[in-house]
Amino acid sequence: MFLHCSSILFLLCFALQSFYLANSQSFIGVNYGQVADNLPPPSATAKLLQSTIIEKVRLYGADPAIIIALANTGISIVIGTTNGDIPALASDPNFAVQWVNSNVLAYYPASKIILITVGNEVMTSGDQNLMGQLLPAMQNIQNAINGASLGGKIKVSTVHAMSVLAQSEPPSSGSFNSSFGDTMRSLLQFLQANGSPFMINPYPFFAYQSDPRAETLAFCLFQPNAGRVDSGTGINYMNMFDAQVDAVRSALNAMGFKDIEIVVAETGWPYKGDANEVGPSVDNARAYNGNLINHLKSMVGTPLMPGKSVDTYLFALYDEDLKPGAGSERSFGLFNPNLSMTYDVGLLKSNQTPATPAPITPETPVSPSTPAIPLTPVTPATPVIPTTPVTPPAGVYGIAISCKQQHSRLLILVIMVAFTLFGLPVRGDDILL
Ligand SMILES: *[C@@H]1O[C@H](CO)[C@@H](O)[C@H](O)[C@H]1NC(C)=O
Ligand SMILES: *[C@@H]1O[C@H](CO)[C@@H](O)[C@H](O)[C@H]1NC(C)=O
């Protein structure tokens, strides 16, 4: 009896992948909205984020205090231009250069800015002028980024509401509203040419609100349900998130843009709302966000994009108490202003040591040296993956590095071929991929 070399490699890769995933979820981000008057100081937020598995933060603007607070934290930052900036960005290349100088170059690379969103939900704003100016504005920002030799390092995109799709059910029939015509095609050509992602805001919460049946709730919350068969492909979808993301995939594919990556710029579930709102509750919010995070961590992907997790920015870090509209609009926060969790969805790092809560200072004095604010003691919701040190023998060190990547299966095959070439006993049928 002996274990084939390939089996050992596979197990080693699996162990290493688990090890790296235990504390690093590069695909989990969070939205940091600021329509509020009770937010903690940016420095306290930076500390809070470092105690979580969140590795990316999306700002709606480019608040210098936050960008500076996130410097040298390892946390990646998405910043945005406002919709109001778009006309000037579109018509004046110098304005775009200035925008990049003062909002990016002033802080980069200490502050790890990875992406600039030009406007928010412009294509569904109903403002034809603004829609026409969106791509020229993106192009001028891209030119400014290229001019600073940051092309490819900092991507340029824009964020869309799900309603850019005219159809999303079944997922394989996903298609963009044809009234966009060439505007959408040109936008997608820009994204493809620059390797930029298509950013979208899928909200199973709203899907449930428009179809408030028990089986729809289970489908939206990743809870046991019969699934929904896509009549176009025969795929049985088990949750709304996958169905919505794959509808976007289908819409992009239908226009011939199969290699544009999708980024979920916002998704979330409110933990409370007005009496007449169906859906908001702590239990539902915990189920949606907790199950979504586990779904992403599992790396299972969606039926149309298996084996990898779509970059997902949860909505939201804090409640935004000054937002207008229904009560739920002000109740998406994962953390309270005093930095305690609203409810536990397993975002804290598994090695987080409980600390004693301390009094919290309110927002107003943004002194650069805000004292560290310890978190309330918590038990991680997700089982802790054992982190026994996995030290690979020197000879397979290259494999250890490969295993960190998402396409490890393909890489294992490549490694197997290499081993075969060197005459080692590797048989492909030893591995069930
Ligand atoms: C497509 O967009 C137009 C213009 O905004 C809108 O009137 C129409 O309802 C949309 N169609 C669908 C199917 O969403
Ligand atoms: C933090 O705020 C939440 C929500 O207001 C409250 O329930 C909790 O008791 C507070 N925790 C501390 C330590 O002050």
Side-chain angles (χ1 to χ4, degrees):
M1 283 276 289
F2 68 98
L3 215 55
H4 268 289
C5 182
S6 52
S7 313
I8 295 167
L9 283 177
F10 181 74
L11 289 174
L12 184 64
C13 278
F14 187 77
L16 285 166
Q17 192 165 4
S18 309
F19 174 73
Y20 283 110
L21 289 179
N23 278 318
S24 163
Q25 267 81 42
S26 61
F27 38 79
I28 295 181
V30 75
N31 284 279
Y32 187 167
Q34 293 176 274
V35 189
D37 60 7
N38 60 352
L39 297 180
S43 56
T45 298
K47 280 212 163 61
L48 168 68
L49 288 168
Q50 287 182 289
S51 74
T52 71
I53 59 171
I54 295 166
E55 296 207 337
K56 300 175 177 183
V57 169
R58 175 179 169 228
L59 310 180
Y60 289 83
D63 185 339
I66 298 174
I67 296 174
I68 291 168
L70 291 171
N72 305 310
T73 58
I75 295 167
S76 301
I77 312 166
V78 177
I79 61 172
T81 83
T82 62
N83 288 357
D85 283 334
I86 288 175
L89 290 170
S91 62
D92 182 1
N94 287 326
F95 183 72
V97 169
Q98 276 165 29
W99 197 95
V100 166
N101 282 346
S102 52
N103 295 294
V104 180
L105 302 187
Y107 311 110
Y108 186 88
S111 298
K112 206 164 133 195
I113 296 163
I114 55 167
L115 200 151
I116 301 168
T117 57
V118 178
N120 192 34
E121 302 192 349
V122 171
M123 295 300 279
T124 43
S125 66
D127 184 337
Q128 295 293 331
N129 258 337
L130 203 61
M131 287 159 70
Q133 290 164 323
L134 178 59
L135 181 56
M138 290 167 72
Q139 190 63 65
N140 280 339
I141 289 280
Q142 182 72 54
N143 293 346
I145 287 292
N146 293 349
S149 300
L150 292 174
K153 293 200 177 103
I154 300 178
K155 309 278 182 161
V156 178
S157 190
T158 185
V159 176
H160 302 286
M162 263 312 264
S163 51
V164 290
L165 298 190
Q167 199 174 339
S168 60
E169 274 181 81
S172 63
S173 73
S175 56
F176 291 106
N177 188 328
S178 57
S179 78
F180 296 138
D182 281 345
T183 314
M184 185 57 83
R185 179 171 299 280
S186 308
L187 203 92
L188 298 177
Q189 277 162 350
F190 169 91
L191 297 180
Q192 185 173 54
N194 293 291
S196 290
F198 182 84
M199 304 179 76
I200 187 91
N201 298 340
Y203 276 94
F205 168 65
F206 294 123
Y208 173 59
Q209 286 206 314
S210 63
D211 174 24
R213 293 175 299 149
E215 66 246 47
T216 305
L217 184 62
F219 188 67
C220 288
L221 297 182
F222 301 84
Q223 288 170 338
N225 69 94
R228 291 186 186 180
V229 177
D230 183 323
S231 52
T233 57
I235 294 167
N236 191 21
Y237 279 85
M238 297 311 297
N239 66 76
M240 184 66 87
F241 179 82
D242 283 355
Q244 292 189 331
V245 171
D246 275 1
V248 176
R249 180 77 271 158
S250 300
L252 290 169
N253 291 357
M255 301 215 10
F257 297 96
K258 295 193 174 175
D259 49 1
I260 292 183
E261 183 201 345
I262 296 170
V263 164
V264 169
E266 281 181 24
T267 192
W269 199 287
Y271 65 90
K272 69 176 192 234
D274 296 334
N276 63 352
E277 284 190 273
V278 59
S281 76
V282 170
D283 282 347
N284 288 349
R286 188 196 290 116
Y288 179 72
N289 287 308
N291 291 335
L292 170 63
I293 290 164
N294 286 335
H295 183 56
L296 296 171
K297 280 175 164 181
S298 77
M299 303 290 281
V300 67
T302 71
L304 296 187
M305 296 178 285
K308 64 178 175 139
S309 291
V310 60
D311 273 15
T312 299
Y313 293 81
L314 304 171
F315 190 86
L317 188 53
Y318 302 116
D319 284 351
E320 292 176 86
D321 64 344
L322 299 181
K323 274 207 166 164
S328 59
E329 288 289 323
R330 293 176 289 284
S331 311
F332 277 85
L334 294 162
F335 291 89
N336 292 308
N338 66 16
L339 306 184
S340 70
M341 288 180 289
T342 317
Y343 47 89
D344 190 357
V345 287
L347 280 173
L348 292 194
K349 278 180 183 156
S350 48
N351 60 359
Q352 187 67 24
T353 33
T356 330
I360 304 304
T361 35
E363 163 92 310
T364 6
V366 187
S367 72
S369 57
T370 326
I373 296 161
L375 296 164
T376 25
V378 286
T379 337
T382 39
V384 177
I385 300 163
T387 51
T388 11
V390 186
T391 325
V396 290
Y397 208 76
I399 296 163
I401 292 163
S402 313
C403 291
K404 289 167 75 176
Q405 303 181 356
Q406 290 176 358
H407 304 295
S408 56
R409 285 176 178 184
L410 183 65
L411 284 159
I412 291 166
L413 283 176
V414 171
I415 291 158
M416 282 172 59
V417 171
F419 269 75
T420 311
L421 288 176
F422 287 100
L424 286 162
V426 174
R427 257 187 20 227
D429 56 5
D430 290 335
I431 301 181
L432 289 173
L433 287 177

